[in-house]
Amino acid sequence: DIQLTQSPSFLSASVGDRVTITCRASQGISSYLAWYQQKPGKAPKVLIYGASTLQSGVPSRFSGSGSGTEFTLTISSLQPEDFATYYCQQLDSYPITFGQGTRLEIK
Amino acid sequence: EVQLVESGGGLVKPGGSLRLSCAASGFTFSNYSMNWVRQAPGKGLEWVSSISDSSIYIYSADSVKGRFTISRDNAKNSLFLQMNSLRAEDTAVYYCTGVSIAAGYNWFDPWGQGVLVTVSS
């Protein structure tokens, strides 16, 4: 099974900050990686697919990069609505796996 | 409007069974592979099972293999998850999700609102 390790697991930041979340895969997954945002009590929402393609309707302050085993999600200037939990997901092979999540909180 | 609505959750005793349903609307359900994803209270996301558009391909996580069965009825725009031999560790919110595809990549979208399954005596 492909393991995904996100870092950090917890991040405290302020409105306007630039933040980066890393997702490392235990083996190469090309660019078959998606990023999701989840707010409490809500279903996850896709932000990025194919490692770097911004989903329609997602603000351009979100960006993704990487391929193979190392990936990043960057938020260029945090907005109040961005405080949430973020997950990476690999869709290269079954079983599909998610990272453990990164909880982003207001400093 | 694209919508997935889960139902069938509730409280069940260990060893019991439950059948989840997911009603799809607003898109051509029969063209989409579908999945169940769960989230235990306060925990992360866990993929449970996937089924292809015509039900030819089915995959399940080892944690549920032999106990849970995914199925679909394209004529009724519905996805199901039959859960048998339930354990306390199956307690979670269960989400129904579709698989969207573009430029050779896929991702999980849309998502339902989730349904809570609690396994407890």
Side-chain angles (χ1 to χ4, degrees):
Chain A
D1 297 4
I2 298 173
Q3 317 285 340
L4 296 180
T5 304
Q6 287 181 232
S7 60
S9 294
F10 177 83
L11 184 55
S12 181
S14 302
V15 172
D17 283 355
R18 178 185 180 90
V19 299
T20 297
I21 299 168
T22 298
C23 178
R24 289 188 172 85
S26 59
Q27 62 192 76
I29 58 170
S30 185
S31 295
Y32 296 104
L33 188 104
W35 288 97
Y36 298 84
Q37 176 193 68
Q38 187 180 33
K39 295 183 178 179
K42 299 294 188 182
K45 167 191 164 185
V46 66
L47 301 172
I48 302 282
Y49 64 89
S52 60
T53 302
L54 193 68
Q55 169 71 331
S56 175
V58 174
S60 59
R61 62 181 179 273
F62 291 92
S63 63
S65 65
S67 67
T69 61
E70 187 149 338
F71 303 85
T72 59
L73 172 71
T74 298
I75 310 173
S76 60
S77 178
L78 275 172
Q79 298 302 300
E81 60 268 29
D82 299 337
F83 292 93
T85 301
Y86 294 84
Y87 295 93
C88 57
Q89 177 201 34
Q90 69 82 17
L91 301 105
D92 176 75
S93 62
Y94 288 97
I96 292 170
T97 48
F98 291 89
Q100 82 278 14
T102 295
R103 186 176 171 190
L104 177 55
E105 291 201 343
I106 301 174
K107 186 182 285 185
Chain B
E1 179 193 4
V2 172
Q3 204 168 11
L4 293 172
V5 179
E6 302 96 336
S7 60
L11 175 63
V12 61
K13 289 181 168 53
S17 297
L18 215 52
R19 189 190 197 213
L20 303 184
S21 299
C22 172
S25 60
F27 65 104
T28 308
F29 178 76
S30 59
N31 288 349
Y32 279 70
S33 292
M34 298 295 295
N35 318 273
W36 290 97
V37 172
R38 69 184 179 182
Q39 187 168 37
K43 303 296 184 183
L45 301 169
E46 180 187 16
W47 168 78
V48 173
S49 193
S50 296
I51 186 168
S52 62
D53 53 5
S54 56
S55 304
I56 291 175
Y57 301 104
I58 289 176
Y59 304 92
S60 295
D62 284 348
S63 58
V64 306
K65 211 167 280 185
R67 300 187 300 123
F68 290 11
T69 303
I70 191 172
S71 63
R72 65 190 296 162
D73 184 338
N74 287 344
K76 295 183 178 178
N77 291 336
S78 295
L79 178 72
F80 305 102
L81 186 68
Q82 178 66 43
M83 304 187 293
N84 298 330
S85 304
L86 282 160
R87 307 167 179 166
E89 54 265 35
D90 296 318
T91 294
V93 172
Y94 285 74
Y95 293 101
C96 163
T97 89
V99 178
S100 291
I101 301 173
Y105 296 106
N106 52 6
W107 65 96
F108 285 10
D109 186 64
W111 292 70
Q113 83 287 355
V115 63
L116 178 63
V117 172
T118 303
V119 184
S120 174
S121 54

